[in-house]
Every structure is written in structure tokens, then in C-alpha cells.
Amino acid sequence: MPRDHRPTKSIRVLLAEDQGMMRGALALLLGLEEDIEVVAQVATGDAIVARALETRPDVALLDIELPGRSGLDAAADLREECPDCRVLILTTFGRPGYLRRAMEAGAAGFLVKDGPVEDLAEAVRRVLRGETVIDPALAAAALSAGPNPLTARECDVLKASVDGATVSDIAGKLHLSESTVRNYLSSAIGKTGTRNRMEAVREARQQGWL
């Protein structure tokens, strides 16, 4: 239905959540709101943009940790492909780094999943009105934590370090020399205040930098 001819009281929502039970529960609860209609549900990050282009939601409600592209990556994609769609991040993990990355990706809101559904429905309405909605405790934590100290390339190398990848494996995957990979790893370990790259990965994930 063309955007200009939709019922004025119906807020069209796309829901991205990889856990089927959670996705179904959220869709059911939001659907009980008289002014909200869940028009699309997806389980992977790779499916978000295609479904958004197909259904033209007003608000995309995205989890962060999804198979394929993350919700944060998808938020940036939607900003380019569906600029009229407002993005609201809903996640289990209230990590300061995630909030900063969400805002940089163009998200209009960031909430954690342990809040009441009434707050979520109201957040959907508020972001559609052009407001920015952020969990207050998380906002305070993000301010105290400061910015991500890792460069984009250091983050790439840490991500590639998961599952026991060797320096040679990482170098081949990222098209870097092994000495360059070692330099990035050493820098990342120093910035995270850890003893080795696996500890650096854990710390960076805990902070929401990866």
C-alpha cells in the first residue's frame, strides 16, 4: 500500500529477531496495540533490507546479534536503502559500545529486552514522531565508558581472530601481511588492557566494540 494512502493510525513495523519464540511473542504483543501492525518478521540480518523494501515499514525493530549481518550493520543499510524507515534497536546486551555504534549507524532508539512491552510500544510511537529513545541507564554507562579506542582495522583483526584462527589465517582473510596483523593485534591488546588476543576479543565484545 502506498505510503500516502495508509491508515493514519497504523504504524507499520518490521521485526528482526533470530529466536523464534521471542520473535513470535513480540509480534503478538505489539499486534495487540490498536495503532501498530507488524508487517514483516525476519530471522536473519541479511533479510532485513529486502523485506523492508518489500513491505515499507515505518519502524524497523532490530536485534543486534543476528545470523548474517548484525542489526547494527542492517541499521546502516536501512539508512541508505530505506531512509523513511526509523530504526529501533532492541537487544539483550546493554553494552555502551553497542549504543554508540547504533547511533553512528543512524538508529533512532536503543532499548534492552527486559523492559515492559508498553514501553516498547511507546518507543515505537516516539521514534516515528522523530524523537530519539534511549534506555537511560545505558545512556549514562555509554557516557562514562567513553569512545571505542580501537581502530576499524584493529576491530577487523580481532573479529578474524575468533575460533582459534592463526596469524596466517587472519592475514589471508584480510589481505594483510602477517607482520601487519601482529602489529594490529599487539595494539588492540594494549588498548584493551588484556594479556593476549583472546582476552582482547572478549573485552572488546563485552564493551560492545565488536
Side-chain angles (χ1 to χ4, degrees):
M1 186 179 293
R3 182 174 295 272
D4 293 342
H5 296 88
R6 287 204 312 271
T8 57
K9 293 185 179 180
S10 177
I11 302 172
R12 297 167 62 83
V13 173
L14 177 149
L15 178 59
E17 164 63 55
D18 63 324
Q19 297 182 22
M21 187 175 294
M22 174 66 75
R23 185 172 65 251
L26 286 171
L28 177 62
L29 291 169
L30 287 173
L32 293 175
E33 301 291 325
E34 292 184 358
D35 59 342
I36 296 176
E37 177 187 6
V38 178
V39 296
Q41 300 180 46
V42 300
T44 68
D46 295 333
I48 291 172
V49 171
R51 288 292 282 149
L53 290 172
E54 178 184 342
T55 60
R56 294 294 175 180
D58 299 300
V59 177
L61 187 59
L62 311 181
D63 191 9
I64 290 180
E65 297 190 355
L66 296 167
R69 291 183 70 72
S70 74
L72 297 176
D73 292 332
D77 295 340
L78 287 172
R79 179 173 57 184
E80 297 297 324
E81 300 291 337
C82 304
D84 291 337
C85 178
R86 302 280 283 174
V87 172
L88 179 59
I89 298 293
L90 182 66
T91 182
T92 303
F93 306 102
R95 296 169 178 166
Y98 279 168
L99 174 56
R100 287 181 176 273
R101 290 168 60 195
M103 296 300 102
E104 289 170 358
F110 194 111
L111 297 175
V112 291
K113 290 180 181 177
D114 60 0
V117 69
E118 293 83 3
D119 289 355
L120 176 58
E122 185 57 26
V124 168
R125 300 181 184 103
R126 289 176 61 191
V127 298
L128 188 60
R129 293 198 296 264
E131 298 179 38
T132 299
V133 182
I134 300 173
D135 180 270
L138 184 58
L143 288 173
S144 63
N148 180 1
L150 302 173
T151 67
R153 213 49 167 151
E154 287 166 354
C155 287
D156 290 340
V157 169
L158 285 181
K159 289 177 185 176
S161 299
V162 178
D163 299 327
T166 66
V167 170
S168 178
D169 294 334
I170 299 169
K173 181 177 181 180
L174 299 180
H175 308 291
L176 299 171
S177 69
E178 292 186 18
S179 62
T180 298
V181 168
R182 291 191 182 92
N183 287 339
Y184 281 133
L185 287 173
S186 177
S187 178
I189 290 168
K191 289 179 179 179
T192 55
T194 53
R195 296 172 297 179
N196 55 57
R197 58 174 167 154
M198 297 315 298
E199 288 186 4
V201 169
R202 285 194 295 270
E203 177 64 18
R205 280 181 165 174
Q206 183 62 36
Q207 294 296 331
W209 296 333
L210 297 184

